[in-house]
């Protein structure tokens, strides 16, 4: 409660006022008492001088017995105690006591001073009156010699009573003045500290985020200048925070749109800032990542070593890292900062995969083109070598050349069709399709081929199957490709089954065989163009059928996938949206 500046100022003023007023009161009390006693002493001195003059006549005439009566009369008139003492200290008269019963007063201080030739005074306890008294004495001179001493005294009780009244007035006045001064000091302190308190309150609001506070300037003194400075600071701070917030939002927007992971790491390798891409890469939320060490986030020592090298050498570090499990490839760029490092993590797994696909595509298309071109080269050279003269041989070679040209033409056509499907330039006739009818037509088409291969071709279609929303010709094209592959890679006495069923709001169509199957490590790539499993090389074909089937199904709004166990067979399944939702 008493920690505020207002209380400190008030208490300081109060203490100062109390000390000053206390000192002033003590001085006034001492001054008044001294002045009062001096005035009283002067009055008593005037009285005692008159008493001395009155007694002088009696001493000159030897009428000593009348002096006591004189003392009584003078004492009654003045209200003071009158005492007449001869030069030897014997009391000749006293207005309050019988002089005969009183002891010798020659040793009294005021008497000794008077006998010494001057006036004497003292304040002391009177054994006769049994109280404190003020005494003033003067010598009585008769014929040039001191014949006695006249003394006037007054009880201090009366003096103290008078002084007490004066003291009470002084103390009361001082108390009133002190109270008024204290109230004024408190009021002045409050008036002085009120703007400071408002400044404190507004500063606290600003500390809690309520920017733009403004205080009214009511004076031109130091407090008023402080208020003006506060208002200027508040306005500048609001502008600065708004600018920083804007820049932060821009930076956050930039970071959120960057597909690469960005992590800001301090000097102790603890993550301070991450973007959503980094959260996605390392499968952690931003709240969990912030505050963790870099190694706890990436969980890979090779990635962490790049950061540590950057922090150690204060140079940019760049490296491509392959992590396990999952065979993911990261390109990491660690850039040193004043108090840490900025780490950029690029997931180049897809680029690596595409690079692999590109190499395989070139290898496959080279292989696919090499065989027919080599055959054509041999056939042409043979004809040029003289076989053209033999009509039967020439016709046979020309038939073979025609077959190889047809293969190249088919490959070119399929590549063109795949390109058109991928680019979305193929128009689709979307309408309700009778899936059962499509399956039956395909089964009928491959019936003879299956029988020649010693295979069983079966259908598994429910009695009631909803129609699919698709392009019937394209669905038949996909199904033909799948059934053709199934028959081609199934050994005699094997079985190929075409099935269809409704599941949710989709139609599932499957082609299952009991053929050679597909190795597990090659299964994810079978829908790539020109990709063939090793066992498929002997079967011929362009290697584009599954790629075309995949793009057709996706263009129709469905999905396609394959399941296989090597040596036991494969199942290819694709979905089509239902024409009428259940």
């Amino acid at each position: 409660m008493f920690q505020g500046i207002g209380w400190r100022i008030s208490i300081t003023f109060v203490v100062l006022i109390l000390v000053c007023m206390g000192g002033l009161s003590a001085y006034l009390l001492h001054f008044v008492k001294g002045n009062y006693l001096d005035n009283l002493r002067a009055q008593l001195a005037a009285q005692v001088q008159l008493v001395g003059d009155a007694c002088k006549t009696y001493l000159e005439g030897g009428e000593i017995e009348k002096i006591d009566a004189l003392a009584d009369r003078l004492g009654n008139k003045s209200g003071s105690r009158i005492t007449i003492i001869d030069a030897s200290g014997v009391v000749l008269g006293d207005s309050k006591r019988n002089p005969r019963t009183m002891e010798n007063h020659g040793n009294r201080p005021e008497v000794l001073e008077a006998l010494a030739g001057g006036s004497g005074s003292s304040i002391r306890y009177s054994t006769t009156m049994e109280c404190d008294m003020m005494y003033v004495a003067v010598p009585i001179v008769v014929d040039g010699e001191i014949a006695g001493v006249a003394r006037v005294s007054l009880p201090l009780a009366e003096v103290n009573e008078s002084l007490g009244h004066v003291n009470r007035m002084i103390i009361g006045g001082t108390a009133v003045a002190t109270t008024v001064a204290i109230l004024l000091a408190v009021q002045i302190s409050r008036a002085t500290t009120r703007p400071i308190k408002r400044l404190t309150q507004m500063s606290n609001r600003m500390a809690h985020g309520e920017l733009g506070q403004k205080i009214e300037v009511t004076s031109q003194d130091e407090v008023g200048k402080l208020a003006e400075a506060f208002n200027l600071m508040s306005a500048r701070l609001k502008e600065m925070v708004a600018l920083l917030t804007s820049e932060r939002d821009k930076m956050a927007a930039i970071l959120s749109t960057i597909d690469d992971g960005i992590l800001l790491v301090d000097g102790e390798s603890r993550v301070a800032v991450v973007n959503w891409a980094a959260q996605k890469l390392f499968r952690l939320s931003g709240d969990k990542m912030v505050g963790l060490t870099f190694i706890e986030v990436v969980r890979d020592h090779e990635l962490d070593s790049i950061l540590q090298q950057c922090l150690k050498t204060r140079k940019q570090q760049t490296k491509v890292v392959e992590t396990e499990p999952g065979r993911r490839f990261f390109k990491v760029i660690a850039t040193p900062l004043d108090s840490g490092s900025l780490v950029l993590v690029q997931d180049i797994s897809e680029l690596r995969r595409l690079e692999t696909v590109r190499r395989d595509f070139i290898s496959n298309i080279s292989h696919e083109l090499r065989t027919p071109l080599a055959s054509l080269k041999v056939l042409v050279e043979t004809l040029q070598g003289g076989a053209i003269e033999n009509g039967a041989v020439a016709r046979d070679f020309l038939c073979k050349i025609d077959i190889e040209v047809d293969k190249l033409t088919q490959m070119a056509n399929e590549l063109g069709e795949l390109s058109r499907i991928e680019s979305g330039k193929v128009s689709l006739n979307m309408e309700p399709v009778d899936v059962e009818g499509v399956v039956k037509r395909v089964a009928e088409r491959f019936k003879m081929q299956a029988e020649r291969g010693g295979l069983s071709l079966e259908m598994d279609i429910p009695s009631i199957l909803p129609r699919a929303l698709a392009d019937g010709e394209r669905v038949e094209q996909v199904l033909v490709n799948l059934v053709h592959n199934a028959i081609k890679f199934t050994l005699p006495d094997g079985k190929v089954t075409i099935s269809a069923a409704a599941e949710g709001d989709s139609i599932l169509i499957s082609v299952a065989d009991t053929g050679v199957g597909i190795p597990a490590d090659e299964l994810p790539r079978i829908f790539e163009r020109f990709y063939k499993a090793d066992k498929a090389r002997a079967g011929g074909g362009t290697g584009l059928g599954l790629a075309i089937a995949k793009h057709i199904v996706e263009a129709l709004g469905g999905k396609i996938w394959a399941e296989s166990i090597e040596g036991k067979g494969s199942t290819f399944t694709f979905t089509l949206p239902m024409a009428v939702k259940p």
Side-chain angles (χ1 to χ4, degrees), residues 340-389:
S341 177
L342 179 66
V343 182
L344 175 68
V345 182
Q346 295 176 317
D347 188 352
I348 60 174
S349 303
E350 183 64 17
L351 291 177
R352 286 296 184 98
R353 189 190 70 80
L354 293 176
E355 179 65 21
T356 302
V357 171
R358 185 188 66 83
R359 289 196 302 266
D360 290 346
F361 174 77
I362 295 174
S363 175
N364 289 332
I365 197 170
S366 298
H367 175 83
E368 296 298 335
L369 290 174
R370 187 183 302 116
T371 300
L373 290 175
S375 299
L376 289 172
K377 179 70 173 177
V378 171
L379 292 171
V380 171
E381 288 177 350
T382 302
L383 289 173
Q384 289 175 344
I388 195 171
E389 301 297 335

Side-chain angles (χ1 to χ4, degrees), residues 234-509:
S234 176
R236 294 278 178 85
L237 182 61
K238 186 177 181 180
E239 294 175 359
M240 186 178 299
V241 170
L243 179 61
L244 291 175
T245 302
S246 176
E247 294 298 323
R248 182 197 63 189
D249 293 341
K250 291 179 182 177
M251 183 61 65
I254 293 172
L255 291 177
S256 64
T257 56
I258 295 177
D259 292 332
D260 299 328
I262 296 178
L263 300 93
L264 185 62
V265 183
D266 62 20
E268 298 180 354
S269 299
R270 294 193 175 277
V271 176
V273 177
V274 295
N275 68 341
W276 71 270
Q279 300 174 35
K280 184 178 179 181
L281 283 177
F282 301 110
R283 299 182 180 90
L284 288 173
S285 65
D287 294 339
K288 292 182 179 179
M289 293 176 72
V290 173
L292 296 178
T293 59
F294 187 73
I295 183 65
E296 290 175 331
V297 171
V298 301
R299 301 183 293 279
D300 187 275
H301 290 285
E302 192 171 359
L303 288 174
D304 184 62
S305 65
I306 300 172
L307 172 64
Q308 299 306 323
Q309 187 70 14
C310 174
L311 294 174
K312 181 179 179 180
T313 62
R314 308 304 299 168
K315 295 181 179 179
Q316 187 179 80
Q317 304 293 322
T318 303
K319 189 175 182 181
V320 175
V321 178
E322 181 180 1
T323 62
E324 292 289 350
R327 307 284 295 178
R328 299 174 71 191
F329 292 88
F330 292 127
K331 182 179 180 181
V332 182
I333 303 175
T335 304
L337 302 176
D338 293 338
S339 59
S341 177
L342 179 66
V343 182
L344 175 68
V345 182
Q346 295 176 317
D347 188 352
I348 60 174
S349 303
E350 183 64 17
L351 291 177
R352 286 296 184 98
R353 189 190 70 80
L354 293 176
E355 179 65 21
T356 302
V357 171
R358 185 188 66 83
R359 289 196 302 266
D360 290 346
F361 174 77
I362 295 174
S363 175
N364 289 332
I365 197 170
S366 298
H367 175 83
E368 296 298 335
L369 290 174
R370 187 183 302 116
T371 300
L373 290 175
S375 299
L376 289 172
K377 179 70 173 177
V378 171
L379 292 171
V380 171
E381 288 177 350
T382 302
L383 289 173
Q384 289 175 344
I388 195 171
E389 301 297 335
N390 188 330
V393 174
R395 285 191 297 272
D396 181 54
F397 278 19
L398 289 174
C399 288
K400 291 180 179 179
I401 291 173
D402 185 58
I403 292 173
E404 295 301 331
V405 171
D406 287 342
K407 288 183 180 179
L408 291 174
T409 303
Q410 181 186 359
M411 185 184 301
N413 290 336
E414 289 183 351
L415 280 173
E417 183 177 12
L418 180 59
S419 177
R420 289 193 300 273
I421 294 173
E422 286 180 336
S423 62
K425 294 181 179 179
V426 175
S427 60
L428 299 174
N429 183 23
M430 302 296 287
E431 60 182 1
V433 175
D434 180 9
V435 176
E436 182 179 2
V438 174
V439 171
K440 287 181 178 179
R441 286 197 301 272
V442 173
E444 185 65 27
R445 178 176 176 178
F446 285 98
K447 181 178 180 181
M448 296 301 296
Q449 184 177 344
E451 290 177 354
R452 286 196 301 268
L455 305 178
S456 172
L457 180 58
E458 299 179 357
M459 293 185 299
D460 182 13
I461 309 296
S463 58
I464 299 177
L465 183 64
R467 291 177 177 268
L469 180 62
D471 185 326
E473 292 183 2
R474 293 296 180 178
V475 174
E476 185 172 343
Q477 181 181 354
V478 172
L479 201 53
V480 165
N481 184 280
L482 297 179
V483 174
H484 179 266
N485 286 343
I487 292 175
K488 184 165 58 175
F489 299 116
T490 302
L491 300 177
D493 298 327
K495 183 173 66 173
V496 175
T497 303
I498 308 174
S499 60
E503 184 174 298
D505 57 357
S506 300
I507 304 296
L508 272 66
I509 304 173

Side-chain angles (χ1 to χ4, degrees), residues 30-108:
H30 178 75
F31 175 79
V32 169
K33 181 178 180 180
N35 189 58
Y36 185 84
L37 291 177
D38 289 342
N39 291 335
L40 182 62
R41 190 176 291 110
Q43 292 177 8
L44 294 177
Q47 290 182 12
V48 75
Q49 191 64 44
L50 295 174
V51 172
D53 293 340
C55 293
K56 183 177 180 180
T57 304
Y58 291 96
L59 290 175
E60 288 176 349
E63 298 176 316
I64 296 175
E65 65 278 0
K66 295 182 179 179
I67 290 178
D68 184 50
L70 177 63
D72 289 338
R73 289 197 307 272
L74 294 176
N76 291 332
K77 290 181 179 181
S78 65
S80 302
R81 179 186 176 191
I82 307 299
T83 306
I84 308 301
I85 306 165
D86 65 10
S88 62
V90 176
V91 177
L92 301 178
D94 189 274
S95 62
K96 299 295 184 180
R97 293 287 187 269
N98 185 352
R100 296 183 180 83
T101 62
M102 298 174 65
E103 61 184 8
N104 190 289
H105 279 39
N107 60 349
R108 301 295 192 269

